[in-house]
Amino acid sequence: MAVNFNGKHLEKFISEYEYTALYPQVELAHKLLESKTGPGNDFLGWMNLPETYDKEEFARIKAAAEKIRNDSDVLLVAGIGGSYLGARAVIEACEGVYHNELANGPKIYFCGNSISPSALNDIIALTKGKRFSINVISKSGTTTETALAFRVLRKLLVDAVGEQEADSRIYATTDRAKGTLKQLADSRGWPTFVVPDDVGGRYSVLTAVGLLPIAVAGIDIDKLMQGAADGMKLFGECSMENPAYKYAMTRTILYRKGKKVETLACFEPDFAMMSEWFKQLYGESEGKDQKGLMPTSCIFSTDLHSMGQYLQDGSRIMFETFVDVKQPAKDLYLEELEGNFDGLNFLSGQNMSVVNRKAMEGTILAHTDGGVPVGLIEVDALDAYNMGLLIYFFWKGCAVSGYMLGVNPFDQPGVESYKKNMFALMGKPGYEGMKAELEAKLK
């Protein structure tokens, strides 16, 4: 199986009986998902998305990506949360952290995901003297971070090439029929792609939200969708052997035993943004009603020289899930060095991936001996097909885990709190009553 959950290192932490005892709750969660009768059932469009996606729009996405690849040096993707994390995660996993420096196609920069003027000025500097296009992603068109960035970048584009040419270089991914961005796009004639009503932001990477930037990066989105379609079958059966369900059960059992933090760890730096996507998916889905595991991440062996001390000897409040990538995108043969000044000739005569694997295995043994439960998500490779599989694995595991936790995995009521405070402090019309009260608290 191209993506699998391996619990061989969990045996001293979880008994088989515990899985058996919990399984009826998995069956109930599965039933709620399949019958679409559970909390958040109006956001289950992701479940059949790999098969039921809009084929006509898919073709338009490919055509738009090809146009951008031919007429632009840079694509600026303006979006926040699920409107950028998934796309960036897949691009970096498949093409590498340094894809902008190494690839022949357009450079892809993500913006509109903060309110930092320094960050936006850097993006502006990167467009200087370059032909660029913009993909603005917002269901409403009024998301503060994204709307601010788009306002600035659109003016930059108009100033550079004029309104008519600018209109041919702006692509809006937004609501199908309503919202300020949709209205503006229609009035200006910008190509539009749909953020589906029944797919939440953190589940949107395989919609136009993620697919357009991913396709611009030169990644085969047919293979990505095929991986997800195969994942839909592999992780769709209600079975104790379903890897996504085994992962969900493992998280639930450890949480109920007092573990409060999950660390997703990988020995491939190209996986770092996938870890960020994972943190949004699980953190936003489960962190509510004062419940839920806190998702964190590490890239090893780098973080073993910083977080390694805590993971080995710190408070036993966490467990680790290692993403075990079986085949690296590139390997490096280690030759013998005359003089052996660094003492590393014992590593010579083999590929560097072997050394990386031994580092992973040594870490797993050290951490489990130190009292940290470790599960393995095994992935054949970081390529388009396997990313599709892995995305669906995490989706399904998250939905079942959330239902077993007793929360609605598809809403995010807590996200609105900071927005209300920010709007009031900035003096947005309609929030006047809160402004004085909040300012008094800040004194």
Side-chain angles (χ1 to χ4, degrees), residues 47-67:
M47 286 186 62
N48 298 310
L49 182 66
E51 288 186 349
T52 61
Y53 66 90
D54 186 332
K55 308 303 188 295
E56 184 274 332
E57 181 178 64
F58 196 77
R60 289 196 301 111
I61 289 170
K62 287 182 176 179
E66 188 62 26
K67 177 180 180 296

Side-chain angles (χ1 to χ4, degrees), residues 156-228:
L156 190 71
L157 184 58
V158 170
D159 289 348
V161 300
E163 285 201 10
Q164 185 173 353
E165 177 64 15
D167 285 339
S168 73
R169 292 176 175 274
I170 297 174
Y171 303 81
T173 307
T174 187
D175 191 87
R176 185 183 302 276
K178 64 182 185 298
T180 58
L181 181 56
K182 174 62 175 172
Q183 292 172 9
L184 179 60
D186 287 347
S187 70
R188 302 300 308 181
W190 304 337
T192 60
F193 302 96
V194 176
V195 180
D197 290 334
D198 59 353
V199 178
R202 55 190 177 274
Y203 279 80
S204 67
V205 59
L206 299 184
T207 71
V209 170
L211 291 176
L212 179 57
I214 291 169
V216 172
I219 295 168
D220 189 334
I221 58 174
D222 286 297
K223 289 182 179 178
L224 182 68
M225 296 302 284
Q226 184 59 58

Side-chain angles (χ1 to χ4, degrees), residues 127-431:
T127 66
K128 190 173 182 179
K130 305 286 178 59
R131 302 173 303 160
F132 70 94
S133 295
I134 303 171
N135 177 204
V136 55
I137 307 170
S138 175
K139 192 167 178 63
S140 65
T142 59
T143 305
T144 304
E145 294 88 343
T146 301
L148 269 177
F150 180 55
R151 169 186 286 216
V152 173
L153 297 175
R154 182 187 172 202
K155 183 179 186 302
L156 190 71
L157 184 58
V158 170
D159 289 348
V161 300
E163 285 201 10
Q164 185 173 353
E165 177 64 15
D167 285 339
S168 73
R169 292 176 175 274
I170 297 174
Y171 303 81
T173 307
T174 187
D175 191 87
R176 185 183 302 276
K178 64 182 185 298
T180 58
L181 181 56
K182 174 62 175 172
Q183 292 172 9
L184 179 60
D186 287 347
S187 70
R188 302 300 308 181
W190 304 337
T192 60
F193 302 96
V194 176
V195 180
D197 290 334
D198 59 353
V199 178
R202 55 190 177 274
Y203 279 80
S204 67
V205 59
L206 299 184
T207 71
V209 170
L211 291 176
L212 179 57
I214 291 169
V216 172
I219 295 168
D220 189 334
I221 58 174
D222 286 297
K223 289 182 179 178
L224 182 68
M225 296 302 284
Q226 184 59 58
D230 288 350
M232 191 173 81
K233 296 181 178 67
L234 287 169
F235 312 126
E237 293 184 6
C238 193
S239 162
M240 282 277 288
E241 306 310 312
N242 181 327
Y245 291 1
K246 193 82 170 191
Y247 173 55
M249 284 191 287
T250 297
R251 300 178 80 253
T252 301
I253 292 168
L254 292 172
Y255 176 69
R256 293 177 183 179
K257 287 187 171 187
K259 302 302 181 184
K260 302 300 182 184
V261 178
E262 177 181 14
T263 296
L264 191 73
C266 187
F267 275 74
E268 290 292 342
D270 290 343
F271 198 80
M273 284 306 301
M274 276 298 295
S275 294
E276 295 301 308
W277 174 82
F278 159 86
K279 287 192 284 189
Q280 187 207 9
L281 177 64
Y282 279 79
E284 205 169 61
S285 296
E286 293 189 333
K288 52 200 72 167
D289 301 337
Q290 289 75 56
K291 299 178 184 177
L293 285 158
M294 181 175 180
T296 63
S297 64
C298 286
I299 292 296
F300 293 154
S301 61
T302 305
D303 289 332
L304 292 175
H305 294 256
S306 54
M307 290 296 292
Q309 174 62 41
Y310 188 93
L311 290 164
Q312 185 68 46
D313 289 336
S315 175
R316 300 295 76 174
I317 60 170
M318 90 287 290
F319 66 94
E320 292 177 282
T321 303
F322 279 57
V323 178
D324 177 7
V325 181
K326 298 298 186 181
Q327 183 63 46
K330 306 178 187 71
D331 217 328
L332 188 66
Y333 183 75
L334 300 173
E335 299 179 351
E336 187 168 330
L337 180 66
E338 185 177 351
N340 192 27
F341 78 91
D342 54 12
L344 295 179
N345 271 354
F346 74 97
L347 299 177
S348 302
Q350 61 189 339
N351 286 330
M352 195 167 173
S353 61
V354 176
V355 182
N356 201 33
R357 175 156 297 278
K358 296 307 175 187
M360 182 183 76
E361 292 170 352
T363 302
I364 290 170
L365 293 174
H367 288 185
T368 53
D369 286 346
V372 181
V374 173
L376 294 176
I377 298 173
E378 299 172 328
V379 186
D380 282 351
L382 299 184
D383 56 24
Y385 175 79
N386 282 285
M387 285 303 99
L389 270 171
L390 189 60
I391 286 166
Y392 204 91
F393 169 90
F394 279 129
W395 279 353
K396 203 65 183 294
C398 184
V400 170
S401 181
Y403 277 160
M404 286 195 292
L405 183 63
V407 300
N408 177 354
F410 307 110
D411 68 354
Q412 53 282 335
V415 174
E416 300 304 314
S417 297
Y418 92 89
K419 295 181 183 178
K420 292 176 183 177
N421 289 349
M422 177 179 68
F423 292 153
L425 291 168
M426 291 190 304
K428 183 175 181 178
Y431 290 81

Side-chain angles (χ1 to χ4, degrees), residues 9-22:
H9 298 292
L10 291 165
E11 291 176 356
K12 71 176 184 178
F13 301 99
I14 303 175
S15 70
E16 193 59 35
Y17 171 75
E18 289 176 281
Y19 286 112
T20 303
L22 184 63

